[in-house]
Every structure is written in structure tokens, then in C-alpha cells.
Amino acid sequence: MTDATAITVALLTPSDVDEYRRVRLRALAEHPDAFRSDAEEEAAKPLQWWRARLAPRTESHGAFFGAWTTARRLVGTAGLLLETRRKVCHTATIVGMYVAPEHTGRGLGARLLDACIDVARADPALEVLYLTVTSTNSSAIRLYERTGFVAYGLEPRSMRLGEQTFDKLMMALHLRPA
Ligand SMILES: CC(C)(COP(=O)(O)OP(=O)(O)OC[C@H]1O[C@@H](n2cnc3c(N)ncnc32)[C@H](O)[C@@H]1OP(=O)(O)O)[C@@H](O)C(=O)NCCC(=O)NCCS
């Protein structure tokens, strides 16, 4: 097991695409109830789509962070998706929060989330961060609550996996409370 302090959290760039794709597809395959995206659907996307996700400040994307071991293996991710439409460009969404199971419980999730929040706080245009989390995912909900996110609603039957449906808890973090 790697020492958590030896793990570096850094902004991902298009040159990290191979590791990012590997880890993202692992996350989707191993935790289908945690994400609305589907592993098979995303695996079929062209490499250009994956690279575009990591391109800094493109139209619909903001910043994706990764947690790296000293051997340059990616073991965690979190992203901040920006809005460009005028009426909602003061909001952004946290997406793709994942830490590989062999590295959980040592603060990596919190470090990745903090990296996204720091970027958001540095942008004077941003006022609110949103995220959704499966209502039964108590460890992720605790992580978000510790960071200051507050639940404000529930999307009932938001996601279907075969015969089973899952509710999504909607959470918000006000970056600049009035
Ligand atoms: C949810 C998830 C991102 C959490 O990642 P993580 O790296 O374990 O997060 P943290 O280590 O910051 O916090 C997890 C726990 O470890 C504890 N912890 C953190 N650092 C610690 C340390 N140094 N020593 C002991 N415990 C520690 C935290 O207090 C927390 O405890 P709790 O769950 O009982 O409240 C991860 O479990 C995951 O990827 N799950 C699958 C995908 C998923 O659910 N993603 C969320 C989609 S919305």
C-alpha cells in the first residue's frame, strides 16, 4: 500500500488521457450505482472525446484533478464542470469523484475535492457548486458534508440500473455566502 502523503494531486491535461481513461472506466465498471455515466458507453467514445475532457477551460469543461502515485499511476480523480451560458455561469458542478479502493480512507477524496473547490474559489465569477450523489452512498455524502456541501433536494428514481432505480441527493456549496 502506498503512503498517502506520497500521492500527488495535480491538474490533469490531455497528455494524461491514457491513465485517465483507464481509471475512469474502472470507476464506472466497479461502481455502476455511483455514476450516471455507463462504462460501456464511455468505453466506445473516441480518444479525442477523452482528450477534450482534460483540455483546460474548454466550452463545457473546467478542471479535472488526478491523484498520482510516485510510479505515475493515477489512483483518483475529481472534476469541476463549468457552465458557459450567461444566466448560469456563476455555477459549476463537481463530477467524477473517485478514489481507487486500495487508496480510500486516507484523505485522498478530500484532497481531490479541495483542489476543485480551490479552483472554483479563485474564479470570482463562481458563486455556487453543485453535485449529485446516489442517496445510499453514505461515505461520499459524508465526504461532501465535511467539505461544506449541504443537501437541498432529492431527484427521485434519477438513475436506472436494470430493474433497480436509485435516487440522487442534490447538494450545494455556496462559495461566497452573502
Ligand atoms: C467516496 C470516495 C471518493 C471517498 O474517497 P476517500 O479517499 O476514501 O475519501 P477520504 O479518505 O477523504 O474520506 C473517507 C473516510 O476516510 C477517513 N479518513 C480520511 N483520512 C484519514 C486518515 N488519514 N486516517 C484515517 N481515516 C481517514 C475520513 O474521515 C472518511 O471517513 P468516513 O467515511 O467514516 O466519514 C471513494 O470511496 C470512492 O471513490 N467511492 C466509489 C465511487 C464514488 O462513490 N464516488 C462518488 C460519486 S458521487
Side-chain angles (χ1 to χ4, degrees):
M1 189 181 273
T2 316
D3 175 7
T5 57
I7 305 245
T8 309
V9 170
L11 195 64
L12 295 175
T13 73
S15 64
D16 300 317
V17 67
D18 292 341
E19 272 295 276
Y20 173 69
R21 184 177 185 277
R22 180 186 66 76
V23 168
R24 170 77 175 167
L25 292 180
R26 179 185 177 188
L28 299 185
E30 292 183 1
H31 304 278
D33 52 345
F35 301 101
R36 281 194 268 224
S37 302
D38 175 77
E40 257 181 54
E41 265 175 5
E42 280 202 12
K45 304 259 189 206
L47 207 55
Q48 196 44 43
W49 178 86
W50 292 88
R51 276 204 200 91
R53 278 212 118 181
L54 304 181
R57 298 236 158 203
T58 53
E59 276 268 300
S60 55
H61 297 115
F64 276 79
F65 286 90
W68 296 94
T69 66
T70 48
R72 291 297 290 169
R73 294 288 279 180
L74 192 62
V75 295
T77 61
L80 181 72
L81 283 192
L82 297 173
E83 280 281 355
T84 51
R85 290 171 298 166
R86 185 179 293 176
K87 286 189 265 183
V88 287
C89 67
H90 63 295
T91 72
T93 309
I94 299 288
V95 295
M97 170 62 62
Y98 172 70
V99 175
E102 60 275 21
H103 292 275
T104 51
R106 287 177 298 151
L108 274 187
R111 284 173 64 190
L112 286 159
L113 189 55
D114 284 347
C116 293
I117 294 171
D118 285 350
V119 164
R121 282 195 199 283
D123 184 338
L126 283 180
E127 294 173 23
V128 194
L129 297 186
Y130 294 116
L131 61 80
T132 62
V133 53
T134 304
S135 64
T136 48
N137 191 347
S138 49
S139 64
I141 293 169
R142 277 197 302 276
L143 167 64
Y144 298 138
E145 283 176 340
R146 271 200 306 278
T147 316
F149 279 85
V150 174
Y152 65 89
L154 196 69
E155 279 183 20
R157 306 177 70 202
S158 175
M159 186 174 76
R160 174 179 289 285
L161 260 182
E163 292 302 298
Q164 214 179 348
T165 58
F166 295 86
D167 300 340
K168 284 277 183 182
L169 190 65
M170 301 182 288
M171 303 186 85
L173 173 69
H174 293 268
L175 298 170
R176 303 168 212 290

